Amino acid sequence: MERGPRVQVAGIPVRIEPTFLLVIVLLGLPQPLLHLLSWVVIATASVLLHELGHAVAFRACGVRPSILLHGFGGLTSGSGELTARQRIVVSFAGPLSAVVLLGVPAVVVWWSGAVPDGDAAMILRQVIWINVGWSLVNLLPVLPLDGGQIFLDVCDLATGGRGRRTAEIVSVVVAGALALWALVAGFAWS
């Protein structure tokens, strides 16, 4: 059964499942209430912007998109077939939109020194982390992330449609290396 509010953004159907908001809140803990609220608003808007980037690229390819925000992120799907090159553009459009429209301006403001320490600086760091940090992680060649999808399509182009196995192996190796690094660096949850 489908749950959650449905809205239209620029004529694109968007559904937000309660699990999306629950995970966003949990990822924002523990923080003071103002920072938690800003985290939820910024993360929701940023993930939606990311998915709208995919949706605009789908539309440019002649495919009708729809967006679902759920669990650990979002999913933009479309009704229609895309070539591997079109899928690469669609996959790249999400992270690119978040970085260019929110991440880069936030980094410029941060570097300008115009924001003093305090709540405004914390909110600006949230914008940067979510739109630059998450986008860079999302571009890693790990399936099912956008970078993993891009790598799969590049492998398919290079091998005449037989790139899935290579993409899966690289995905496991990169994810394993990241997990090991996180453990050694002390990022493991206790």
Side-chain angles (χ1 to χ4, degrees), residues 126-145:
Q126 290 175 345
V127 172
I128 292 168
W129 171 241
I130 292 168
N131 290 285
V132 177
W134 283 6
S135 292
L136 292 175
V137 169
N138 191 28
L139 285 171
L140 292 172
V142 176
L143 291 167
L145 301 177

Side-chain angles (χ1 to χ4, degrees), residues 175-190:
L178 284 172
L180 182 61
W181 171 79
L183 186 64
V184 169
F187 291 115
W189 295 343
S190 52

Side-chain angles (χ1 to χ4, degrees), residues 53-77:
H54 292 309
V56 168
F58 265 124
R59 275 189 173 169
C61 294
V63 174
R64 293 184 49 197
S66 64
I67 296 172
L68 171 64
L69 301 184
H70 66 94
F72 281 100
L75 174 66
T76 302
S77 54

Side-chain angles (χ1 to χ4, degrees), residues 92-132:
F92 193 63
L96 183 64
S97 63
V99 168
V100 169
L101 296 176
L102 293 176
V104 168
V107 168
V108 168
V109 169
W110 181 262
W111 283 344
S112 76
V115 178
D117 283 339
D119 291 335
M122 173 56 110
I123 291 168
L124 187 58
R125 283 193 299 271
Q126 290 175 345
V127 172
I128 292 168
W129 171 241
I130 292 168
N131 290 285
V132 177

Side-chain angles (χ1 to χ4, degrees), residues 154-178:
V154 168
C155 288
D156 275 347
L157 284 170
T159 63
R162 297 183 317 270
R164 176 154 292 281
R165 184 81 173 139
T166 300
E168 289 171 346
I169 291 168
V170 168
S171 181
V172 169
V173 169
V174 171
L178 284 172

